[in-house]
Amino acid sequence: MTKRRPARFPLVLLGMGNVHRNLLRILDRKAGLLAERHGVALPVVACADRSGFVLGPEGAGSRLGRPAIHAAKDGGTPLREIPGSAPLSLAEALDLAGPSGILLDAASMDLETGGIGLRAARAALARGQSVVFANKSAVALAFAELEETAAATGAGLGWSATVCGGLPVVNVGRGELVAARFRRVRGVFNSTSNLVLERMAAGRTLDEAIREAQERGIAETDPTNDLNGTDTAAKLAIIARTILGAPVTFADVERRGIEAAPTPGRDEAVRLFGEAVPGPDGGFRLRVAPHAVPKASFFGSMGALDMAVEWETDIFGVQRLAATEGDAIPTAAAVLRDAVHIALGRPAAPPRRAPARRKSA
């Protein structure tokens, strides 16, 4: 019996930090399983860092292998300075991927303009090419526009990796809680701030705690956005916009970081919370701030490497999700999850559409 060849969905990787470097390793290990179980192949035909786009390891005629990419990026060398790399423009990278191509955005966060991630997403979606986000910027700033463009061109859109890494907050909240109305959401969405608060409570210095988070690959070189609540606020805005259906953006979130952390009591722990609570106009008030909670509570009993969410709905009651993620691998796995769902035609976060009206007889 002839074995069917897997369907190809060429990937364009934007950003070559911890997430996409781990994704490359996962693809190396899981290529056979992806072909056998899901019938898909995900060749990397182009990739980009701050130096620009280059021909990827599976691009036609490429002389840039994955080991060279890992060695260069681990040593801080830009992609375009790797011997044998072939520079590309964004348009050329998307051309290489073709109609079934998927742009994966794990570029650095830019919550002022959306940066290269938003520009590249607009270009891909306008062509009908699908986009998967690990970078929160575009989703936090322009989700309505992106969703509208994707619907118009038939492109897929995935963003589950933008909230709590591998924890399927977006997938469950948007896809599984059918007909539910959300009353409130509360969560610890940033693993770096949680680790730092836990380590400092145990007597470590701020610098020591940050260094550990960076060595684990869960904190950026500059962890300011993690510690001042910016990252949590972006994730809360994404939850509010894409799960709760609230017409909000990042600018609507009240924010305080760990600098405002209270002194906990003996049986308390401090967490940096993102919360969506009922507002005075019937909508939601969005706020990020550190609070002390009992150690015996759900959030108080979390580990240093945990992220968690708790939500209350009208028909599903109170639900809690939690995960332990000590590195960037689960976030990379979430990117892969979204890409495979798109390839199979079943996006993990289905679009919200009004039901079609039945024609009268």
Side-chain angles (χ1 to χ4, degrees), residues 172 194 215 275 309 338 340 359:
V172 174
N194 198 45
E215 289 171 353
E275 298 178 291
V309 64
D338 281 355
V340 170
K359 293 182 180 179

Side-chain angles (χ1 to χ4, degrees), residues 273-329:
F273 285 102
E275 298 178 291
V277 298
D281 58 354
F284 289 95
R285 179 185 176 191
L286 308 179
R287 60 195 185 195
V288 172
H291 297 288
V293 293
K295 287 183 178 179
S297 67
F298 170 65
F299 288 111
S301 62
M302 291 173 58
L305 299 173
D306 291 355
M307 289 182 287
V309 64
E310 175 185 88
W311 48 47
E312 179 185 349
T313 70
D314 57 347
I315 58 177
F316 288 93
V318 177
Q319 294 186 342
R320 301 180 180 96
L321 300 174
T324 301
E325 299 188 3
D327 52 37
I329 293 174

Side-chain angles (χ1 to χ4, degrees), residues 29-40:
R29 291 167 43 208
K30 300 290 186 177
L33 187 146
L34 289 169
E36 179 182 347
R37 181 180 296 176
H38 302 293
V40 300

Side-chain angles (χ1 to χ4, degrees), residues 197-198 200-202 258 260-271 290-295 300:
L197 287 169
E198 280 283 287
M200 290 178 67
I258 68 169
T263 301
R266 180 176 180 181
D267 296 318
E268 292 182 323
V270 177
R271 307 290 182 223
H291 297 288
V293 293
K295 287 183 178 179

Side-chain angles (χ1 to χ4, degrees), residues 48-269:
D49 62 7
R50 293 180 187 274
S51 69
F53 285 90
V54 300
L55 194 62
E58 283 83 53
S62 176
R63 293 186 292 162
L64 185 64
R66 294 190 187 192
I69 292 176
H70 288 304
K73 297 308 299 180
D74 289 346
T77 300
L79 287 174
R80 289 193 173 187
E81 294 182 14
I82 303 174
S85 65
L88 300 170
S89 67
L90 168 61
E92 289 170 332
L94 296 177
D95 285 342
L96 275 176
S100 62
I102 306 175
L103 171 72
L104 308 183
D105 173 17
S108 296
M109 190 164 63
D110 179 346
L111 288 167
E112 293 184 6
T113 68
I116 179 60
L118 181 55
R119 296 196 300 274
R122 284 170 169 157
L125 293 173
R127 294 165 167 246
Q129 292 172 302
S130 299
V131 180
V132 170
F133 296 99
N135 174 12
K136 292 167 281 294
S137 308
V139 185
L141 294 175
F143 178 76
E145 172 204 333
L146 298 174
E147 187 177 42
E148 183 177 344
T149 304
T153 63
L157 204 58
W159 64 95
S160 74
T162 64
V163 179
C164 295
L167 190 67
V169 173
V170 170
N171 313 61
V172 174
R174 188 171 168 102
E176 299 299 325
L177 302 184
V178 176
R181 289 191 181 277
F182 286 83
R183 291 174 173 161
R184 62 184 67 238
V185 176
R186 191 184 203 199
V188 175
F189 305 134
N190 182 273
S191 54
T192 297
S193 62
N194 198 45
L195 175 76
V196 167
L197 287 169
E198 280 283 287
R199 295 296 188 254
M200 290 178 67
R204 302 272 293 277
T205 67
L206 175 63
D207 289 342
E208 289 172 339
I210 290 172
R211 192 176 308 116
E212 179 184 347
Q214 290 169 333
E215 289 171 353
R216 289 179 175 275
I218 60 175
E220 300 291 338
T221 303
D222 180 359
T224 300
N225 287 335
D226 295 315
L227 304 182
N228 69 9
T230 297
D231 179 79
T232 296
K235 292 172 180 174
L236 182 61
I238 291 169
I239 289 173
R241 183 65 184 84
T242 71
I243 298 177
L244 307 185
V248 299
T249 67
F250 170 75
D252 296 301
V253 184
E254 303 169 26
R255 172 170 50 90
R256 290 187 297 157
I258 68 169
E259 74 284 350
T263 301
R266 180 176 180 181
D267 296 318
E268 292 182 323

